[in-house]
Amino acid sequence: MKASTDYYHENSMFHASATEVMGTRLDMVILGIDRAKGDLLWQQCRERLEQLEAVGSKFKADSETTAVNRAEPLSIVTVSPLFGQLLTEAIGFRQPTRGCFDVTLGSCSAVEFRSPVELVVPASGLTIDLGGYLKGRAVDDMMAVLKSGGVTDAFIDFGGSSIMGIGSHPAGKGWPVSVTDPYSRRVLATFSLRDASLSTSGNTPAYNGHIVNPATGRIVSGNRLSAIVAREALVAEVLSTTWLVADEQLRREILPQFENVYNEFVYN
Amino acid sequence: MTDPSRRSFMRSLGVLAGSAAVLSTAPWLASCSADKQAAVTGERARIALIGTGSRGQYHLHNLKLIPHSEVVALCDIHQPHLDEASQLFPEAKTYTDYHALLDDPDIDGVIIATPLGTHARITLDALDAGKHVFCEKAMALTLDECKEVYERYKQCDNVLYYCMQRMYDEKYIRGVQMINDGLIGDVVGMRCHWFRNADWRRDCPDPSLERLINWRLYRETSGGLMTELASHQLEVCSWVTGKMPSKIMGMGDIIHWKHDAREVYDTVNVVYKYSDGRTISYESLISNKYNGMEDQILGSRGTMNLATGLYYLEEDNSRSGIKQLLSSVRESVFSAIPAAGPSWRPETADAYIPHSILDGVTHVNNGQSTIGADHDGSEDILASFCQACITGERAVNVVEEAYSATALCLLGNKAIEEGTTIDFPDEYKIPYMKF
Ligand SMILES: NC(=O)c1ccc[n+]([C@@H]2O[C@H](COP(=O)([O-])OP(=O)(O)OC[C@H]3O[C@@H](n4cnc5c(N)ncnc54)[C@H](O)[C@@H]3O)[C@@H](O)[C@H]2O)c1
């Protein structure tokens, strides 16, 4: 992670910016605090991000996810408590999303823990990809850091696709953001985020073929975009991925399983 | 089967092969689909290795991790290398004459990791012996040899692979896919280079072994920088454009490592020109490593640097949304920030922003090793070959790509020697090539 910070005295505005974090960039804007406090909170956020990356990155050769993905079928792998916690939480979304959100990419039917830190690898082996989960978890965790630091107004943008508005922009209520069609650049919708999170998911001209339907193992292709506004970034994140995979009927069935979803749409 | 990391080979390729768009970008992945991978579970290809030097041993380490393979025979004319390999696979039979190895009916496929000068002969003999063949790059030392191997391949049914591992490297596949999707606009040119600062020599215990150990330095066994390094990069250029250059010019010399008896250039600059005017600018030098190794595809709207796994946009809007937000706070303006997606309003780009082709992938091959790098596709292409030894399924276009790339390398050397611009000779064109 490469990071830098700025401070704007006249607005009491702190801005932290990072690249190479979970494969993307992160911006955090906090209002109404002094520089030292901003640095402190940002430091805490960074530590959390680093912990999450060490556990969850499927690309880092030394991450726990990599180790688990390489483990022999039926072996028992010792994992950190954090890994166990994250995996359990991530897998927990499989049922309410009717299998549409599956961090195991359909590679197993159940993950069994012999103890909180001992994972039993199923006979089929495991392929875990926490990619669609981790950013949402990270945004919620950063929000918790900010809230516990007494922050009332802030804006977090993780990779342009996971966004959280806490409190309000100084000139209005909430934080207004718009979603645009990456192909036509037309504005598709505008949302006001006030203690709410927006997650968008979909193919862009630049990045295609990263979403896999776990049921079929096939890549979701074409110009399809989903947007979810929810109180929790993680819920928004999970549902925006789910919305790309699930059809209309299934989406109606899944929606009531989640609380505090304020807005949702999918655009073809 | 002790190292469990074998399990991850080809998995991501299996997922990629599920996409029709990816298959049109990289048709050779058709044999890597998850279904086809699953179909060989429990079976084992009986593999032999000819040439147990450094690259051969690198393959042996990877074979240990490929569950559908079994190393049954090893061959080398240099006993110390054969002994080293034998320690890795003590059960495998050993040979010092590859002809004897090819007579063994209990071998399905052979890997050829010998010096370039021997590739064609051993490949032809192995195909004639009914074996499936995985040969190291480049294809062969001369264009005539390449043509002979290509024609034999066309006549037989055996599987033939060339180790052009970029074709199986996920970041290359996705990167080329992004180019085909229009991310960087029209491809207007290519710049590839490979820089090292090392003499390319290996320790030689006895002068009588010099030409065997340091085969890379002599023309009867090696095409030098063009065949050893440029071959991979020129393959990428023909993959990306789907076309072949029609004119070649170049310069090269021995400028730094001149105090030994080497015969191959230690610096080359070759320009390839397509019929539509675009060029590939190729450069390699082994007495300065500042520029490293890069495969840059230049587009009217951006640059894809496949080797580093990063791309850059000419007009990059990705940062300016937050800039807009910061100024809206400072100016007390309340208006919607275009937050999601790559839709931020453009501002003057102060610098190019690197974007990763693959989320989170930071390991890149810096090109400094003469043996190979981890996770550069070599493991996957080898695993794919082992699977093909079981199924008999050929990998679409792999031989054609290797032929095309090797022809460009050899013609680069020829252009340097002749000091003139040469046309791609008609007699070496194959139907796959479009000019
Ligand atoms: N794909 C890649 O990225 C990559 C990387 C490195 C090397 N290579 C290729 O691998 C091949 C081998 O390179 P290397 O660095 O391992 O060379 P090396 O000199 O370390 O090994 C070559 C071996 O072949 C043996 N040999 C020579 N003639 C033989 C014969 N007639 N029968 C049996 N064995 C014979 C030699 O004794 C030696 O052990 C070359 O074609 C090279 O271009 C490819």
Side-chain angles (χ1 to χ4, degrees), chain B residues 191-221:
Chain B
R191 285 186 66 177
C192 301
H193 56 247
W194 202 320
F195 293 90
R196 285 177 176 160
N197 195 346
D199 65 2
W200 234 13
R201 284 205 145 271
R202 299 216 172 139
D203 288 344
C204 187
D206 174 346
S208 71
L209 295 173
E210 165 66 10
R211 287 197 170 242
L212 178 65
I213 304 268
N214 282 310
W215 61 268
R216 276 184 173 76
L217 307 181
Y218 301 98
R219 291 191 179 194
E220 63 176 351
T221 40

Side-chain angles (χ1 to χ4, degrees), chain B residues 110-413:
Chain B
V110 297
I111 298 169
I112 301 170
T114 55
L116 178 61
T118 64
H119 284 186
R121 185 70 266 144
I122 304 181
T123 301
L124 290 167
D125 289 343
L127 290 176
D128 288 347
K131 307 300 183 201
H132 299 305
V133 176
F134 176 98
C135 185
E136 265 305 339
K137 60 86 218 206
M139 195 166 178
L141 186 59
T142 68
L143 282 158
D144 287 324
E145 285 177 342
C146 290
K147 197 72 197 282
E148 193 183 350
V149 173
Y150 172 75
E151 270 159 12
R152 190 75 54 90
Y153 169 72
K154 282 290 171 194
Q155 286 153 9
C156 70
D157 293 323
N158 311 28
V159 166
L160 177 58
Y161 275 61
Y162 282 92
C163 193
M164 291 284 181
Q165 62 266 26
R166 281 163 166 72
M167 298 169 78
Y168 286 75
D169 184 332
E170 190 178 357
K171 71 176 176 301
Y172 277 84
I173 297 165
R174 290 227 194 242
V176 177
Q177 177 72 51
M178 290 172 171
I179 295 170
N180 291 345
D181 287 343
L183 173 68
I184 61 167
D186 295 332
V187 172
V188 292
M190 282 149 283
R191 285 186 66 177
C192 301
H193 56 247
W194 202 320
F195 293 90
R196 285 177 176 160
N197 195 346
D199 65 2
W200 234 13
R201 284 205 145 271
R202 299 216 172 139
D203 288 344
C204 187
D206 174 346
S208 71
L209 295 173
E210 165 66 10
R211 287 197 170 242
L212 178 65
I213 304 268
N214 282 310
W215 61 268
R216 276 184 173 76
L217 307 181
Y218 301 98
R219 291 191 179 194
E220 63 176 351
T221 40
S222 165
L225 300 175
M226 294 309 296
T227 54
E228 290 309 302
L229 303 182
S231 53
H232 292 295
Q233 304 177 282
L234 295 172
E235 187 282 314
V236 171
C237 296
S238 70
W239 176 12
V240 166
T241 56
K243 288 180 74 175
M244 290 291 282
S246 51
K247 289 195 182 302
I248 302 110
M249 58 183 268
M251 304 251 174
D253 215 325
I254 304 177
I255 51 140
H256 185 74
W257 304 107
K258 47 170 80 172
H259 303 296
D260 59 16
R262 77 180 58 207
E263 297 163 359
V264 300
Y265 306 126
D266 64 3
T267 178
V268 291
N269 277 261
V270 184
V271 178
Y272 294 87
K273 186 174 178 189
Y274 290 85
S275 60
D276 58 19
R278 293 181 292 179
T279 58
I280 305 170
S281 164
Y282 187 80
E283 202 178 353
S284 181
L285 175 72
I286 51 169
S287 48
N288 174 299
K289 64 179 174 0
Y290 176 76
N291 289 288
M293 186 261 288
E294 294 187 30
D295 303 337
Q296 300 178 354
I297 313 300
L298 313 180
S300 54
R301 291 207 299 269
T303 303
M304 180 66 70
N305 196 338
L306 291 159
T308 57
L310 299 171
Y311 65 86
Y312 307 81
L313 300 174
E314 295 284 298
E315 192 178 270
D316 198 327
N317 310 330
S318 57
R319 270 258 171 227
S320 57
I322 215 74
K323 283 191 187 163
Q324 248 175 281
L325 182 138
L326 294 170
S327 51
S328 78
V329 169
R330 303 179 70 195
E331 290 154 23
S332 206
V333 179
F334 192 67
S335 63
I337 306 302
S343 53
W344 308 81
R345 193 155 54 81
E347 287 180 21
T348 31
D350 5 84
Y352 284 98
I353 301 167
H355 301 273
S356 301
I357 297 177
L358 295 181
D359 257 359
V361 172
T362 45
H363 64 256
V364 294
N365 175 7
N366 63 10
Q368 300 307 309
S369 162
T370 59
I371 302 168
D374 279 349
H375 309 298
D376 69 350
S378 296
E379 303 100 319
D380 300 87
I381 187 172
L382 183 61
S384 175
F385 169 70
C386 293
Q387 182 183 314
C389 287
I390 299 168
T391 62
E393 181 178 354
R394 288 179 161 188
V396 181
N397 296 352
V398 166
V399 174
E400 287 78 0
E401 282 291 311
Y403 180 95
S404 303
T406 306
L408 293 180
C409 300
L410 299 176
L411 291 170
N413 276 341

Side-chain angles (χ1 to χ4, degrees), chain A residues 8 10-11 15 17 23 25 27 59 70-72 125-127 157 160 163 169 173 176-178 180 185 200 206 209, chain B residues 4-7 11 19 174 178 183 317-319 326 328 330 333-334 337-341 343-344 359-361 375:
Chain A
Y8 302 84
E10 59 285 21
N11 311 96
H15 173 210
S17 189
R25 58 178 199 280
D27 283 284
F59 298 110
R70 289 182 167 186
E72 288 280 312
L126 263 182
T127 306
D157 171 5
I163 294 179
H169 184 289
K173 283 202 177 108
V177 293
S178 62
T180 26
R185 305 187 171 217
T200 60
Chain B
S5 61
R6 66 182 169 81
R7 298 182 35 75
R11 274 233 190 138
S19 151
R174 290 227 194 242
M178 290 172 171
L183 173 68
N317 310 330
S318 57
R319 270 258 171 227
L326 294 170
S328 78
R330 303 179 70 195
V333 179
F334 192 67
I337 306 302
S343 53
W344 308 81
D359 257 359
V361 172
H375 309 298

Side-chain angles (χ1 to χ4, degrees), chain A residues 162-232:
Chain A
S162 306
I163 294 179
M164 161 87 67
I166 302 170
S168 292
H169 184 289
K173 283 202 177 108
W175 294 89
V177 293
S178 62
V179 176
T180 26
D181 177 359
Y183 290 84
S184 72
R185 305 187 171 217
R186 205 158 52 83
V187 173
L188 302 174
T190 302
F191 303 106
S192 172
L193 303 180
R194 191 171 186 179
D195 297 321
S197 185
L198 164 70
S199 169
T200 60
S201 207
N203 293 320
T204 68
Y207 197 40
N208 215 304
H210 56 119
I211 294 184
V212 180
N213 182 342
T216 59
R218 302 241 175 268
I219 288 176
V220 176
S221 58
N223 180 2
R224 198 158 188 208
L225 186 142
S226 64
I228 308 281
V229 180
R231 192 176 66 192
E232 285 170 51

